Amino acid sequence: GEGGKNGRAASKLVSCSFITGVEALEKRKQIIKITVGSKAVDDILGGGIETQSITEVFGEYRSGKTQLSHTLAVTTQLEMDKG
């Protein structure tokens, strides 16, 4: 049950528990939006890429995925008022 040997090993590494709505709201308040370097794209994304989350980027060859990744790698190292 519960994923067998791998599931038991994973449950020892990761703490899974429920939180209240108030706790979830407090966690949401800690999220920062990281600019992608384009105001238009930031606007589409609701202010930028959210921290504390996983964002998947996909598109055709040469559509800017790698450039976006490089921009975010630099932007995340800037001071808050610059990125």
Side-chain angles (χ1 to χ4, degrees):
E2 296 194 42
K5 187 176 182 180
N6 290 336
R8 287 189 297 277
S11 68
K12 290 178 183 177
L13 297 173
V14 179
S15 172
C16 293
S17 61
F18 292 100
I19 61 173
T20 67
V22 172
E23 291 170 323
L25 179 61
E26 289 304 313
K27 286 184 85 161
R28 288 289 302 164
K29 288 179 182 177
Q30 297 174 7
I31 292 175
I32 300 166
K33 302 279 184 129
I34 303 169
T35 182
V36 298
S38 164
K39 178 154 179 18
V41 177
D42 284 344
D43 289 344
I44 291 169
L45 296 171
I49 302 282
E50 287 188 350
T51 60
Q52 302 183 35
S53 64
I54 297 173
T55 303
E56 181 178 7
V57 178
F58 62 94
E60 293 185 24
Y61 177 72
R62 298 187 56 101
S63 62
K65 301 177 300 291
T66 301
Q67 180 64 42
L68 175 62
S69 298
H70 291 168
T71 299
L72 289 171
V74 171
T75 303
T76 58
Q77 297 178 56
L78 299 175
E79 295 178 22
M80 291 274 294
D81 61 339
K82 295 180 181 173

